[in-house]
Amino acid sequence: MTTIPRRFNGPEHSGNGGWVSGLLAAQQQERHGSTVVTATLRQPPPLEVPLTWEDHPEEVRLVTAGGALIGEATSGSFEHEPLTAPSIDEAEQGVASYPGFASHPFDLCFTCGTARQPGDGLRLFTGPVGDGRTAGTWTPDPAVAGSDGLLDVPTTWAALDCPGGWAADFTAQPMVLGRMTAEVLRRPAAGEALLASGLLRERDGRKFRTATALHTVDGELLGRAEQVWIEIDLARFS
């Protein structure tokens, strides 16, 4: 059994897509040894509700007490090379131009919400830096790390989440994460100066395909992701 704590929301009343996908990924890694994981969300993940794990030959599933499928995780693979690190100047420019400061459909989002206090949410703000890219500087607060001083897998996946959504621009159309393929090469440490980036690769109707990455300021790749976002009716998530 598991629950998604209220702290880890995306939309106010459902789970943060990256964090829940990372929760699925951690189970897939533990049970099946996958390094690169693809997590697919089938419905808005409920908060503070008992959920159950199902283990299958090649995947894990997260289901409600009534058997409704929340999401599943399998071994994954990437379609593209990882994003290169932005420069520090680009990342600082991205924070300064972050659209969420002016308008945010999910301002309580654990990853990128402007209404979250330091140490409560990640406060990871990435804005446009040209060519469909986003970037931002980010230093994880000790309060979002574990007792070992490192971010856990779900929190690292959450950090790899929203820079892709902002590359597709949440303010132009509200979206939620549908699918995410990611790999964590090294878990970030609290107090470590990092560079986050995102890229919009293409739009296909209501679907947006994006990529994200976390680097150190020295250019070390800590994690990468490829995502599919789905445009939504915001009233469904209010």
Side-chain angles (χ1 to χ4, degrees), residues 5 14 29-30 39 48-49 64 82-83 91 120 122 129 135 150 153 159 175 180 197 212 218:
S14 60
Q29 290 166 345
E30 179 180 334
E48 301 291 350
V49 172
T64 66
L83 302 185
D120 178 34
L122 300 185
V129 293
L150 303 177
V153 170
M175 299 166 290
M180 182 169 175
S197 58
T212 64
D218 295 325

Side-chain angles (χ1 to χ4, degrees), residues 9-235:
N9 69 289
E12 186 173 357
H13 302 296
S14 60
N16 177 281
W19 193 91
V20 177
S21 294
L23 188 69
L24 283 156
Q27 288 292 316
Q28 176 69 11
Q29 290 166 345
E30 179 180 334
R31 299 176 188 224
H32 299 285
S34 304
T35 301
V36 180
V37 176
T38 295
T40 304
L41 300 176
R42 300 300 183 180
Q43 62 174 293
L47 302 172
E48 301 291 350
V49 172
L51 303 170
T52 301
W53 293 109
E54 291 183 353
D55 196 7
H56 294 264
E58 296 182 356
E59 67 179 19
V60 294
R61 298 175 185 171
L62 187 61
V63 301
T64 66
L69 180 62
I70 301 300
E72 73 257 7
T74 64
S75 295
S77 61
F78 294 110
E79 296 183 4
H80 302 276
E81 292 298 310
L83 302 185
T84 58
S87 68
I88 293 176
D89 286 346
E90 280 184 313
E92 290 176 343
Q93 171 193 332
V95 174
S97 63
Y98 178 53
F101 290 138
S103 176
H104 200 311
F106 307 123
D107 64 356
L108 289 170
C109 172
F110 173 68
T111 302
C112 66
T114 52
R116 301 296 285 261
Q117 296 302 309
D120 178 34
L122 300 185
R123 294 180 59 83
L124 197 167
F125 305 140
T126 53
V129 293
D131 299 323
R133 298 179 301 128
T134 57
T137 55
W138 180 56
T139 301
D141 191 282
V144 302
S147 58
D148 59 0
L150 303 177
L151 275 61
D152 62 14
V153 170
T155 303
T156 305
W157 274 57
L160 287 165
D161 178 19
C162 295
W166 286 107
D169 193 356
F170 284 120
T171 59
Q173 61 278 309
M175 299 166 290
V176 293
L177 187 68
R179 178 170 292 159
M180 182 169 175
T181 298
E183 179 181 17
V184 176
L185 297 151
R186 177 170 73 78
R187 290 157 56 203
E192 186 172 22
L194 302 175
L195 304 171
S197 58
L199 172 68
L200 174 62
R201 293 202 183 276
E202 64 175 346
R203 176 176 185 173
D204 179 11
R206 293 174 53 241
K207 293 182 179 180
F208 298 78
R209 291 179 173 83
T210 64
T212 64
L214 276 178
H215 290 86
T216 67
V217 294
D218 295 325
E220 178 190 357
L221 178 66
L222 300 188
R224 58 175 296 202
E226 294 176 350
Q227 306 146 320
V228 177
W229 295 82
I230 310 296
E231 184 178 357
I232 59 160
D233 177 359
L234 191 59

